[in-house]
Amino acid sequence: KQTERTELDDALQHYSMAKKDLDVRVVDWDKKDELYRSHIQEEDWPFQSLVFDPRIFTILTEKTARLISAKPRGKVFPREGTDVGAARVVNELLSYQWDNARQDGTMLQKLALMDQRARKYGASFGFARWWYERKISPKGKASKLYDSPDFLPIHPKNALPDPNATSLETCRWFQIRSYPTYQELLAVNDAARKDPVYSPEALEVLKSRMKERPSASYESDFLNKNRTISKLSDQSAADPLYRIIRIVTEYRRDRWITFAPDYNLVLRSIPNPYEHYEIPVVMLRYLPTGDDLYGLSEIEPMEK
């Protein structure tokens, strides 16, 4: 379809723009990871002393522990006498949703991760979504597991914002990169509330094209510095059964487009399903500069 081809061309151009911007930032982030981990590369170390000052690690870790140590106790207060019952219901609902958003860790763990990344890299991002999930038994019976708001921190090297934006509000689009397996894409469709999330026809095309090229790997996009420091190699492309696919979703205010850049294939193109028509991404920024989406890192004054 001509419309789909145009959407794919636009999304690929955006991906190229954002990736070029991200590649420049990653060089600086890798250096900050080494400082945070107090890592010394002995072969390149110019000094005789091999003792590293761990102040950066201590400062970032201790601040997170003090700032995010317990569940926030915000409350909704009634403005009029008739609002008392509604305020109590909303407070209980917010508490329930907070406790229930446990995918990839508790909300406290996810907030702490966002906080550390913001102060380490200058900014961090999270995906705010409504998540519906159900489980299909071997007999084909479906049972609902989750139907509530959810929040997921985005790995900084998989966050691809509009490079021309100076704030989240001025982002025209925001791309999130992920690496699911083909089986996981099918499982998302099976667990959908009503219509399939990804086009079944597109998944069939993807399956046939996967035979023509090797599996994707994380390392082809970025070097995971923390794994490298721990001397761990990337094994993401080594599993012949569960092959991963590089998937990118572009969130606009009016539309969501999910595509596989390696296969020039659109898997989903839908209107923004949220009535607020916002990009479903939240951001923490440490020290704003006013002319860049990312702020200054807390490490920056100490790394010179």
Side-chain angles (χ1 to χ4, degrees), residues 5-295:
R5 182 69 247 179
T6 302
E7 286 181 344
L8 178 60
D9 289 343
D10 291 341
L12 286 170
Q13 177 62 29
H14 291 165
Y15 181 58
S16 176
M17 292 166 54
K19 193 172 181 299
K20 187 180 298 184
D21 184 80
L22 179 65
D23 289 343
V24 175
R25 299 184 190 275
V26 163
V27 176
D28 179 58
W29 293 351
D30 286 346
K31 182 180 178 183
K32 287 178 168 57
D33 280 329
E34 289 184 350
L35 292 169
Y36 177 74
R37 292 284 297 269
S38 303
H39 176 65
I40 294 175
Q41 293 183 353
E42 294 186 32
E43 62 275 11
D44 299 327
W45 193 248
F47 310 109
Q48 290 184 342
S49 173
L50 293 179
V51 178
F52 206 107
D53 185 348
R55 274 182 293 181
I56 290 175
F57 175 85
T58 303
I59 290 169
L60 266 64
T61 304
E62 291 298 323
K63 276 191 177 180
T64 299
R66 290 197 300 270
L67 289 170
I68 306 174
S69 59
K71 179 179 178 180
R73 299 187 179 277
K75 291 183 67 176
V76 175
F77 291 95
R79 300 190 65 176
E80 299 176 1
T82 56
D83 295 336
V84 174
R88 289 180 178 176
V89 170
V90 171
N91 281 323
E92 289 303 315
L93 178 62
L94 291 174
S95 179
Y96 171 79
Q97 291 175 342
W98 171 278
D99 294 335
N100 208 30
R102 301 182 63 87
Q103 186 167 351
D104 287 356
T106 66
M107 278 297 294
L108 275 179
Q109 290 171 324
K110 291 186 278 192
L111 277 181
L113 184 60
M114 283 273 291
D115 173 68
Q116 283 208 345
R117 285 174 173 171
R119 286 187 284 108
K120 188 192 296 183
Y121 305 124
S124 61
F125 302 96
F127 180 39
R129 63 178 182 174
W130 189 280
W131 182 242
Y132 177 84
E133 183 181 359
R134 61 178 183 165
K135 184 178 181 181
I136 310 296
S137 71
K139 295 182 180 180
K141 185 178 179 180
S143 58
K144 186 174 69 174
L145 294 179
Y146 195 89
D147 189 4
S148 193
D150 194 23
F151 166 79
L152 294 173
I154 306 169
H155 192 292
K157 294 180 180 179
N158 284 328
L160 298 151
D162 177 358
N164 296 311
T166 56
S167 66
L168 203 56
E169 291 71 27
T170 58
C171 267
R172 300 177 181 90
W173 47 267
F174 195 108
Q175 293 187 347
I176 300 175
R177 184 168 55 195
S178 59
Y179 301 85
T181 64
Y182 185 78
Q183 292 90 331
E184 288 169 339
L185 294 176
L186 293 177
V188 169
N189 273 5
D190 291 340
R193 185 193 301 270
K194 187 178 178 182
D195 298 325
V197 175
Y198 304 113
S199 163
E201 295 81 10
L203 289 181
E204 285 299 316
V205 175
L206 176 64
K207 185 178 181 180
S208 64
R209 292 183 183 179
M210 286 174 63
K211 301 174 182 177
E212 303 169 3
R213 60 177 299 133
S215 177
S217 69
Y218 308 133
E219 205 169 61
S220 61
D221 285 323
F222 62 84
L223 197 64
N224 190 317
K225 196 63 179 179
N226 285 302
R227 289 181 60 86
T228 304
I229 291 172
S230 301
K231 301 188 184 305
L232 298 172
S233 59
D234 178 28
Q235 299 290 327
S236 56
D239 192 333
L241 179 59
Y242 296 101
R243 294 180 54 190
I244 66 171
I245 307 155
R246 183 181 292 102
I247 299 295
V248 180
T249 299
E250 177 168 302
Y251 296 95
R252 306 175 186 171
R253 285 177 170 76
D254 62 337
R255 198 155 196 86
W256 294 3
I257 303 166
T258 300
F259 61 101
D262 298 329
Y263 301 97
N264 288 324
L265 186 64
V266 173
L267 301 181
R268 174 182 65 167
S269 178
I270 60 171
N272 186 343
Y274 298 149
E275 292 183 359
H276 54 54
Y277 293 105
E278 297 291 341
I279 295 173
V281 174
V282 294
M283 178 178 69
L284 284 179
R285 181 161 48 182
Y286 187 61
L287 292 173
T289 62
D291 53 2
D292 186 17
L293 181 62
Y294 289 79

